[in-house]
């Protein structure tokens, strides 16, 4: 019974260059499957232009129209299909009924360690290679020595589950050597040992940083390190409406907010973590930069969501995740300037895809070098967060002690993470603001 495995996931290419590819998933249902699918789509650097989701609680049918976020992204469509198929429940009804709660074994963690001469944009270039090889960065520890060398530790997992083979390892070395070149002193790849747990701990953050990084509201005050630039204040606008009158069995949830990278993932991640079941959902195309999302939902017990407290709690949680899915601030860490980025971790323990890639790409575009970097976890507000810490090199064209320059860096990083249009066009504006900042402070 069921459908042939080759038909679980179908990917239909666009008829013309630039047209969306259509991803169709037809398989047994499981809680949070839509979230898992959107997470993989985001991990491949793809943008969902629209989508439809339908399930009767046993079988589901999903369709997503997708395009790459950037023309520079190379998508391995066969690999995407394999990744999507790997998370779909078996098409055997017997397996589905008896083993729907089973979990696959965790992927082994590998340590990639290389020692080389430092250069500009090195960290992002290595990160890009790992993304293209479908190697997920779990933790990282990057250190620059006083003599201009770097020791980088990347703890990675292989989405293709082939890193134990010599062929896969040789390909990884080949791609890395092409980036590191003659500057590479040593490069080693092996299964992670006790050192992974050593770097797997909870990050220690000051109370002031915790308060600023994890507060739920975005501020438009210029003194705040997370302040929004004027053209991005629309991020603060979102509507969530609950309606129980249109369906005798389901609650209708209507969402309207500004579009951003990973929006569908953020919405479905929130519903998954709140134990909300989706019976039907439609993700409409963007209009004037905004999205409309309509989903018919149920509680875990199969009942509608009634009662003001439950409805208001769900609406508030969704608004926070739609408006503020990522936190970005700059603070002082002793004499150094530190950029911090945080995103909520799913209850399953998974963090948001491509954050490290996007941050390093934004800093690369600004000409800012990274002195050191690390990834860790932090618990705040009764939830776990994934926190990225970057010590910025003072030897750049930005005066990092200036609040104006800091706000510009935060704004650029946020734009890259949120996928806001016009990011690349901002570079001349950043240079202008930086020069204005230097002139202003020199006159004081």
């Amino acid at each position: 019974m069921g459908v042939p495995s080759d038909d679980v996931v179908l990917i239909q290419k666009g008829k013309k260059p630039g047209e969306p590819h259509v991803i169709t998933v037809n398989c047994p249902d499981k809680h949070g499957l839509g979230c898992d699918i959107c997470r993989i789509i985001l991990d491949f650097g793809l943008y969902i232009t629209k989508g439809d989701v339908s399930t009767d609680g046993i079988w589901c049918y999903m369709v997503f129209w997708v395009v790459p976020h950037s023309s520079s992204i190379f998508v391995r469509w066969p690999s995407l299909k394999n990744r999507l198929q790997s998370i779909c429940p078996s098409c055997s009804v017997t397996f589905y009924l008896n083993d729907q709660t089973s979990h696959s074994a965790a992927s082994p963690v590998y340590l990639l360690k290389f020692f080389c001469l430092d250069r500009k944009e090195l960290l992002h270039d290595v990160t890009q290679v790992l993304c293209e090889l479908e190697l997920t960065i779990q933790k990282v520890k990057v250190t620059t020595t006083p003599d201009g060398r770097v020791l980088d530790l990347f703890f990675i997992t292989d989405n293709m589950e082939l890193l134990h083979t010599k062929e896969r390892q040789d390909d990884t070395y080949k791609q890395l050597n092409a980036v590191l070149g003659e500057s590479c002193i040593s490069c080693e790849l092996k299964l992670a040992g006790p050192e992974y747990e050593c770097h797997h701990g909870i990050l220690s953050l000051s109370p002031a940083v915790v308060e600023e990084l994890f507060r739920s509201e975005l501020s438009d005050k210029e003194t705040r390190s997370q302040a929004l630039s004027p053209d991005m204040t629309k991020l603060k606008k979102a509507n969530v409406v609950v309606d129980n009158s249109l369906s005798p069995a389901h609650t209708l949830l209507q969402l309207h907010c500004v579009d951003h990278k990973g929006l569908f993932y953020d919405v479905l991640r929130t519903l998954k973590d709140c134990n909300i079941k989706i019976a039907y959902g439609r993700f409409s195309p963007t209009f004037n930069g905004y999205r409309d999302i309509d989903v018919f939902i149920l509680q875990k017990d199969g009942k509608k969501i009634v009662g003001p407290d439950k409805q208001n709690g769900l609406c508030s949680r969704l608004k926070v995740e739609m408006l503020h899915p990522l936190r970005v601030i700059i603070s002082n860490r002793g004499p150094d300037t530190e950029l911090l980025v945080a995103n909520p971790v799913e209850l399953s323990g998974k963090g948001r895809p491509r954050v490290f890639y996007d941050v390093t790409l934004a800093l690369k575009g600004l000409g800012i070098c990274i002195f050191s970097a690390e990834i860790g976890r932090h618990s705040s507000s009764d939830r776990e967060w994934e926190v990225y810490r970057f010590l910025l090199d003072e030897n750049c064209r930005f005066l990092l002690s200036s609040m104006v320059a800091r706000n510009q860096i935060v704004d650029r990083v946020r734009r890259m993470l949120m996928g806001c249009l016009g990011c690349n066009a901002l570079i001349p504006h950043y240079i202008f603001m930086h020069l204005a900042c230097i002139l202003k402070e020199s006159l004081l």
Side-chain angles (χ1 to χ4, degrees):
M1 299 180 67
V3 298
S5 58
D6 288 343
D7 294 334
V8 172
V9 177
L10 297 176
I11 300 180
Q12 180 181 354
K13 296 183 179 181
K15 296 180 180 179
K16 299 178 181 178
E19 285 191 351
H21 284 47
V22 182
I23 300 175
T24 303
V25 180
N26 185 20
C27 69
D29 194 18
K30 71 174 182 179
H31 179 63
L33 180 59
C35 167
D36 297 340
I37 289 173
C38 287
R39 186 184 191 281
I40 291 177
I41 290 175
L42 179 61
D43 197 14
F44 273 75
L46 294 171
Y47 168 77
I48 300 175
T49 62
K50 63 178 180 176
D52 283 284
V53 177
S54 179
T55 177
D56 59 2
I58 298 177
W59 204 269
C60 70
Y61 183 77
M62 307 182 192
V63 185
F64 298 97
W65 287 258
V66 302
V67 294
H69 275 289
S70 168
S71 59
S72 63
I73 293 178
F74 174 74
V75 181
R76 300 185 181 186
W77 296 102
S79 183
L80 172 60
K81 179 176 180 178
N82 292 336
R83 285 277 303 282
L84 292 174
Q85 286 184 159
S86 70
I87 64 168
C88 294
S90 169
C91 293
S92 166
V93 174
T94 302
F95 176 90
Y96 175 70
L97 293 176
N98 295 334
D99 296 288
Q100 56 182 323
T101 59
S102 63
H103 299 278
S104 58
S107 299
V109 179
Y110 289 82
L111 170 61
L112 171 64
K113 178 170 63 175
F114 62 87
F115 185 52
C116 67
L117 300 178
D118 194 15
R119 65 167 174 82
K120 289 184 177 181
E121 305 173 358
L122 174 64
L123 185 57
H124 175 73
D125 292 345
V126 172
T127 301
Q128 182 173 356
V129 169
L130 297 180
C131 286
E132 291 175 352
L133 288 170
E134 297 181 51
L135 299 172
T136 298
I137 301 173
Q138 302 295 339
K139 301 294 172 186
V140 64
K141 182 68 175 179
V142 176
T143 305
T144 304
T145 64
D147 61 351
R149 304 183 183 191
V150 292
L151 175 64
D152 290 1
L153 305 178
F154 286 88
F155 296 93
I156 57 178
T157 53
D158 184 8
N159 295 324
M160 298 175 65
E161 301 288 352
L162 294 173
L163 203 52
H164 62 282
T165 65
K166 185 178 184 302
E167 181 180 0
R168 177 73 160 152
Q169 292 182 8
D170 288 344
D171 187 36
T172 301
Y173 281 125
K174 179 181 178 181
Q175 299 292 337
L176 287 170
N177 287 330
V179 170
L180 299 176
E182 296 180 355
S183 65
C184 182
I185 300 172
S186 64
C187 184
E188 182 181 5
L189 178 63
K190 63 179 182 180
L191 277 171
E195 66 270 27
Y196 177 64
E197 295 301 325
C198 175
H199 293 281
H200 196 63
I202 302 299
L203 290 181
S204 176
L205 302 174
S206 69
V209 168
V210 170
E211 192 278 332
E212 176 72 3
L213 190 60
F214 301 118
R215 59 191 175 88
S216 60
E217 297 294 332
L218 278 170
S219 173
D220 55 5
K221 297 180 181 178
E222 293 184 357
T223 56
R224 286 290 197 176
S225 59
Q226 294 197 71
L228 289 172
S229 55
D231 66 323
M232 289 192 65
T233 54
K234 64 181 182 179
L235 287 176
K236 299 176 67 177
K237 301 175 183 178
N239 294 318
V240 182
V241 177
V242 175
D243 191 338
N244 279 316
S245 64
L246 294 180
S247 171
H250 303 92
T251 295
L252 172 62
L253 195 63
Q254 296 178 301
L255 304 95
H256 176 79
C257 70
V258 67
D259 192 20
H260 69 253
K261 184 190 298 184
L263 173 61
F264 298 146
Y265 166 71
D266 290 323
V267 170
L268 297 184
R269 167 179 56 83
T270 303
L271 296 177
K272 176 183 177 181
D273 286 350
C274 291
N275 279 321
I276 300 297
K277 298 180 179 180
I278 298 177
Y280 174 77
R282 169 160 290 181
F283 311 137
S284 301
T286 181
F287 180 73
N288 290 334
Y290 285 86
R291 285 278 194 177
D292 287 313
I293 302 175
D294 299 300
V295 287
F296 287 88
I297 58 176
L298 293 170
Q299 297 183 108
K300 187 178 181 180
D301 58 7
K303 298 180 180 179
K304 300 171 72 172
I305 300 176
V306 296
D309 291 342
K310 289 183 178 180
Q311 293 180 0
N312 291 336
L314 179 60
C315 290
S316 297
R317 175 75 179 272
L318 283 167
K319 282 186 178 180
V320 169
E321 301 302 331
M322 289 189 299
L323 297 176
H324 208 12
L326 294 137
R327 317 298 170 90
V328 186
I329 68 170
I330 282 186
S331 67
N332 294 324
R333 187 177 176 184
D336 300 314
T337 301
E338 183 176 54
L339 173 71
L340 295 106
V341 178
N343 59 269
V345 176
E346 295 179 34
L347 291 181
S348 64
K350 296 180 179 178
R352 189 184 191 88
R354 298 179 75 89
V355 173
F356 197 80
Y357 174 91
D358 285 339
V359 176
T360 55
L361 179 58
L363 295 177
K364 173 182 176 179
L366 294 172
I368 297 177
C369 295
I370 300 169
F371 182 77
S372 70
E374 60 180 322
I375 305 175
R377 298 287 174 99
H378 184 86
S379 295
S380 180
S381 304
D382 299 324
R383 65 192 309 184
E384 189 176 30
W385 299 79
E386 195 165 49
V387 181
Y388 300 76
R389 305 178 72 164
F390 301 87
L391 283 184
L392 306 183
D393 194 332
E394 299 288 342
N395 297 319
C396 64
R397 66 179 182 228
F398 282 85
L399 187 64
L400 297 181
S401 61
S402 163
M403 182 58 70
V404 174
R406 289 185 174 206
N407 285 343
Q408 295 297 315
I409 294 171
V410 168
D411 187 61
R412 178 61 183 270
V413 171
R414 184 189 292 114
R415 286 174 183 272
M416 187 65 70
L417 290 166
M418 300 288 283
C420 299
L421 297 177
C423 279
N424 295 332
L426 292 175
I427 294 179
H429 176 66
Y430 278 84
I431 296 175
F432 171 79
M433 292 301 296
H434 171 60
L435 294 175
C437 175
I438 293 178
L439 178 61
K440 177 182 176 181
E441 296 195 359
S442 66
L443 295 175
L444 295 178

